[in-house]
Amino acid sequence: EPPFISSVDSGNLAACLLTCAQDVRVLLPQLSACYHSLAARMDALAEGMRFDALYDAEADLFRIGVHPLQDAPSGGHYDLLASESRLLSFVAIMLGQVPVRHWYRLGRLYTRVPGGAQAFISYNGTMFEYLMPELFLPLKTGGALWESARFCLYVQRRDRAGGGLWGQSESAFFSLDPSLSYRYKAHGCQSLALRRGMGADMVVSPYSSFLALAVEPRAAVRNLRRLCERGFTGRFGLWEAVDFTPSRTSGRGGESVRCVMSHHLGMSLVAIDNALTEDVMQRRFLSDRTMAAYRELLQERVPVGAPIMRQTEGDIPEKL
């Protein structure tokens, strides 16, 4: 309480329902008609989701969400292409609930990457923003989203914590609220972030490494092995995160954030599935001809002469 309807999570739910329906059709064709009814039901649930209340038609952007009891939308919008909302945007366009022009209203802020290529800046500089949508949306080699994903991994691996561990994203961290639950926020790299002050903390989340399987699988596996070797595991596998922020640790090389989140475990399982089966979830998601028709949206290349945003390293406060 109070309830909040998240735009991104609604889009994720629709994508998962559509993908699961395709899974049922592919994997269970020989079984009884009840399974096909299940697939049709999942399609109907996804297609029956109405994104109108989440969409600001005047701005051609999605709101962060709505407060149903207050009958009021949130004040902010998702306005960058390098964002976790990219999957929501693709699904809503594919379902015909928002116009294609919405995709081109998403901001494209570029920065220069090593070797002279250009890549997108995100708001918080998290792995979640760059790689969560790619659980379902394929990366086109050489495209702007592909270059941005590679740049994300380059920066994340450069900004390492103790023992060479890397991978920062939204996660719980080693601080408790009044109810003795771990606090939660976005952790990212300043070189990737439009928001200032993102380099103040160092919190490594294992699910970030699972997301990285889509881009640099060998590096991701090495990082996961290091986490296991350091003992950051519990009954349900790897813990939610490891906090290396000096002001919150005892100097023993990181504090385990001893909780698990179903959302992060679910993303990790989908990422593992893609890594072991040649991106089966991406292929199933786009197996419907209606979805595949919009695939070209994902193949965008960096335009020649695009303006470059220069990032300043160092400790700069978010508010002056």
Side-chain angles (χ1 to χ4, degrees), residues 61-101:
L61 296 170
F62 277 102
R63 299 181 173 95
I64 303 299
V66 295
H67 303 273
L69 297 185
Q70 301 175 18
D71 193 28
S74 63
H77 296 82
Y78 287 109
D79 58 359
L80 292 177
L81 186 60
S83 165
E84 67 272 26
S85 68
R86 189 163 63 254
L87 180 59
L88 159 70
S89 296
F90 190 90
V91 168
I93 290 171
M94 181 274 299
L95 292 174
Q97 296 194 26
V98 302
V100 176
R101 68 173 179 270

Side-chain angles (χ1 to χ4, degrees), residues 232-299:
F232 298 123
T233 57
R235 177 184 175 188
F236 301 102
L238 287 158
W239 288 118
E240 161 72 358
V242 187
D243 196 334
F244 292 94
T245 307
S247 62
R248 295 195 294 265
T249 59
S250 60
R252 296 179 300 170
E255 297 284 357
S256 292
V257 181
R258 301 196 172 202
C259 66
V260 292
M261 298 190 68
S262 57
H263 183 210
H264 297 166
L265 294 181
M267 287 190 290
S268 299
L269 289 170
V270 174
I272 293 168
D273 199 5
N274 278 332
L276 297 177
T277 58
E278 298 182 345
D279 299 317
V280 66
M281 291 299 177
Q282 294 178 358
R283 289 186 280 111
R284 295 272 164 78
F285 177 71
L286 291 173
S287 61
D288 184 273
R289 284 180 294 179
T290 304
M291 293 185 227
Y294 293 96
R295 191 172 186 139
E296 65 181 37
L297 295 177
L298 308 175
Q299 299 175 2

Side-chain angles (χ1 to χ4, degrees), residues 190-213:
Q190 188 61 70
S191 298
L192 299 168
L194 183 64
R195 182 182 179 185
R196 310 311 300 171
M198 291 308 295
D201 295 347
M202 174 55 74
V203 180
V204 173
S205 51
Y207 86 88
S208 296
S209 291
F210 285 112
L211 293 179
L213 289 168

Side-chain angles (χ1 to χ4, degrees), residues 82 111 119-127 129-130 148 151-156 158-159 168 188-195 198 311 313:
T111 188
F120 294 134
I121 289 286
S122 69
Y123 185 68
N124 291 313
T126 69
M127 299 277 278
E129 292 167 304
Y130 284 91
S148 299
F151 178 52
C152 172
L153 263 293
Y154 167 80
V155 174
Q156 290 270 348
R158 183 194 65 186
D159 295 355
Q168 300 182 70
C189 300
Q190 188 61 70
S191 298
L192 299 168
L194 183 64
R195 182 182 179 185
M198 291 308 295
Q311 290 290 80
E313 301 286 349

Side-chain angles (χ1 to χ4, degrees), residues 13-28:
L13 175 59
C16 289
L17 285 168
L18 293 167
T19 304
C20 192
Q22 291 299 100
D23 281 337
V24 171
R25 293 188 179 95
V26 171
L27 298 175
L28 306 173

